[in-house]
């Protein structure tokens, strides 16, 4: 029998947590034959609700779920963690300046990074979901100098999945026929969903669409503003699709991309494609055996270059701001 994998989830009592935990426990994160132990981290006010969720998890009698621990102490919650999903974050409230938001999140992600550094398992993989995800990942990474830096990643998979779905609808193919789509940059309104290297049923996507106006005026803004459109329609945020994307991100990282395809992940830049080294930016990546590589050699046209640069500039500004706060 396999040793259970320890999966730590922060903000476990939140909306995304509620959509996420049951799928982790039922084997969708790592595989249908991998037992898991859940470690739930919440702030003190969230502990009781987390206990309620744990009761429901018990009541599902998931065969793969080998235990649930709940704590408000990161040193306990990250102890022995193999996978960490950092979901809990400080939401931007009305009138809050970006500096205040980054500072509040520094107070969350810095101690979590330190706890990961001190207590997580050697093979720890971290996915940051809580916003601003890329920069929160940078803060946690900076506080974990002993963890290989490529283990800190940020989620752009929801943007990736949203873009695939929009492109499939536009071209009238099933989503399974869309390959090699890329999200570049920040998980924010400046993100750039790139179809110039994507394929629709084996044909180049930009040629299949052949409509630059749709690309610029419909596709890109629809993908970037989807979260707001869902809040407007549902009266609540896109928690289930965010949780699904977190599952996809980790599952792909651990189990690999298919031949002839890639995915998008926010990862520390090695300088590829002119993205300054160290920024946690979204790239096209292939994954294999728990590691990832940036897809190299893609030709970047002017349309893409401008948009990638704009998103990367925003990431640089966020990095400067957290540097100014002494968080890096
Ligand atoms: P959610 O579970 O809905 O969201 C959590 C975070 O995920 C937010 O930062 C949110 O960003 C982000 N997010 C990323 N993508 C999406 C998406 N597509 N849709 C919605 N959110 C997205 O928030 P809740 O307020 O329901 O729950 C947060 C929980 O975290 C609370 O229970 C709170 O107690 C806890 N918390 C725990 C901490 C800890 O464990 N130390 C620290 C802070 C909070 P955005 O704000 O941009 O929507």
């Amino acid at each position: 029998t396999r040793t259970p994998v320890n999966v730590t989830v922060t903000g476990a009592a939140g909306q995304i947590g509620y959509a996420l935990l049951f799928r982790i426990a039922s084997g969708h994160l790592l595989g249908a034959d991998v037992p898991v132990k859940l470690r739930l981290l919440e702030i003190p006010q969230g502990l009781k609700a987390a206990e309620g969720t744990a009761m429901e998890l018990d009541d599902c009698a998931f065969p793969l779920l080998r235990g649930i621990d709940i704590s408000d102490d990161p040193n306990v919650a990250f102890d022995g963690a193999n996978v960490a999903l950092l979901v809990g974050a400080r939401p931007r409230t009305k009138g809050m300046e970006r500096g205040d938001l980054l500072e509040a999140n520094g107070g969350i992600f810095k101690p979590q990074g330190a706890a990961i550094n001190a207590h997580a398992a050697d093979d720890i993989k971290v996915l940051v979901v809580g916003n601003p995800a890329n920069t929160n990942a940078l803060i946690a990474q900076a506080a974990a100098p002993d963890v290989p830096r490529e283990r800190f990643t940020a989620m752009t998979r929801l943007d990736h999945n949203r873009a695939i779905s929009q492109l499939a609808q536009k071209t009238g193919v099933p989503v399974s026929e869309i390959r090699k789509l890329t999200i570049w940059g920040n998980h924010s309104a400046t993100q750039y969903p790139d179809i110039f290297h994507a394929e629709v049923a084996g044909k180049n996507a930009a040629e299949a669409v052949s409509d630059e106006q749709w690309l610029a005026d419909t596709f890109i803004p629809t993908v970037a503003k989807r979260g707001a459109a869902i809040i407007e329609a549902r009266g609540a945020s896109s928690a289930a699709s965010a949780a699904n994307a977190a599952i996809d991100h980790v599952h792909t990282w651990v189990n690999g991309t298919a031949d002839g395809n890639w995915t998008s992940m926010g990862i520390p830049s090695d300088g590829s494609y002119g993205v300054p080294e160290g920024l946690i930016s979204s790239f096209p990546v292939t994954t294999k055996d728990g590691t990832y590589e940036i897809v190299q050699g893609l030709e970047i046209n002017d349309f893409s270059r401008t948009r990638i640069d704009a998103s990367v500039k925003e990431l640089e500004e966020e990095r400067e701001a957290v540097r100014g706060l002494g968080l890096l």
Side-chain angles (χ1 to χ4, degrees), residues 9-19 40-47 49-50 71-74 77-78 86-92 101 104-105 107-109 112 128-133 136 155 158-159 162 187 226-227 230-231 236-243 245:
V9 179
T10 77
Q15 299 303 311
I16 294 176
Y18 193 69
L40 313 186
L41 181 67
E42 258 298 347
I43 52 180
Q45 309 88 283
L47 285 176
S71 180
D72 61 2
D73 179 353
F78 290 111
L86 310 190
V87 178
R90 175 70 166 81
R92 189 192 292 261
L101 179 73
N105 279 304
I108 295 168
F109 288 88
Q112 290 184 1
V128 178
V129 175
N131 283 316
N136 288 340
M155 187 167 91
L158 180 54
D159 310 306
R162 284 168 170 167
H187 169 68
R226 189 72 167 173
I230 287 167
I231 290 177
S237 72
S238 47
S241 49

Side-chain angles (χ1 to χ4, degrees), residues 33 37 70 87 99 124 148 177 194 215 225 227 240 287 311 318:
D33 54 351
K37 277 190 175 169
I70 304 170
V87 178
I124 179 72
E177 292 292 337
D194 177 359
L215 205 56
K225 294 180 193 157
T287 59
S311 195
E318 289 183 15

